[in-house]
Amino acid sequence: MLFLQNDIYGQLPMEFVIVVGFSIIILFPITIGLTDSNELNQAMSAARAGAVQGVLSNGLAIYPDDAFKDYQKEHSRLVNPSKVKIIKIDYLNLGFNPSYQKTKIQLRIYASAPSGTDKSDRNCLGDRINFHARKKICESFQTENLTNTVFNPAFSNYYVFTTADVRWV
């Protein structure tokens, strides 16, 4: 009987409104945080897939015509298949960038290559890996039209991505 008496005075609906209100207040920040981390995870996955694609194109010595001609002259080792392995990819949050009105993220890719590859060859390999990582991010978020021909920087909804030189291990 006590339960019904409190319901007559509207206490039960008021408690319900308070609980629902607090739940909504708590769920909004959690949802926003999860959305941002999901986007960053998607970008990191795309960067990893792009880096692997770059390694595969290097491993098979598949290059655009202009790069192939340049590599024949200056980096003859790169026109032959080579073995490169992606060790890891991490990122550095550089904070909010007022130029782009987005948070700037710098990707750092770690790779290993045969000891016979010299520094200039590794720079070319690293450029190709970074290119494919940025390109895959743009393809993932369908932002190819917002960047330049080398996909630098790459964009998502809340982030702008750049790449540091590949670190060779």
Side-chain angles (χ1 to χ4, degrees), residues 69-87:
K69 290 174 186 175
D70 181 48
Y71 289 174
Q72 276 183 321
K73 293 177 190 171
E74 297 180 28
H75 306 285
S76 58
R77 291 187 141 183
L78 297 180
V79 295
N80 297 315
S82 62
K83 182 179 179 182
V84 178
K85 182 178 178 184
I86 300 296
I87 304 299

Side-chain angles (χ1 to χ4, degrees), residues 11 53 62 70 112 121:
Q11 189 168 348
Q53 184 179 0
I62 299 172
D70 181 48
S112 67
D121 289 346

Side-chain angles (χ1 to χ4, degrees), residues 26 37 47 53 63 82 92-94 111 130 134 156 163-164 168:
I26 290 172
S37 65
Q53 184 179 0
Y63 302 107
S82 62
L92 182 62
N93 186 333
L94 301 176
N130 282 337
R134 293 187 309 263
S156 71
T163 51
W168 296 95

Side-chain angles (χ1 to χ4, degrees), residues 83-124:
K83 182 179 179 182
V84 178
K85 182 178 178 184
I86 300 296
I87 304 299
K88 73 175 185 172
I89 299 176
D90 64 9
Y91 67 91
L92 182 62
N93 186 333
L94 301 176
F96 186 77
N97 186 307
S99 299
Y100 298 111
Q101 295 294 308
K102 297 178 185 227
T103 301
K104 188 172 184 180
I105 303 290
Q106 184 181 51
L107 300 175
R108 296 179 298 190
I109 300 172
Y110 296 83
S112 67
S115 58
T117 309
D118 68 7
K119 185 175 177 150
S120 66
D121 289 346
R122 286 185 180 190
N123 284 338
C124 289

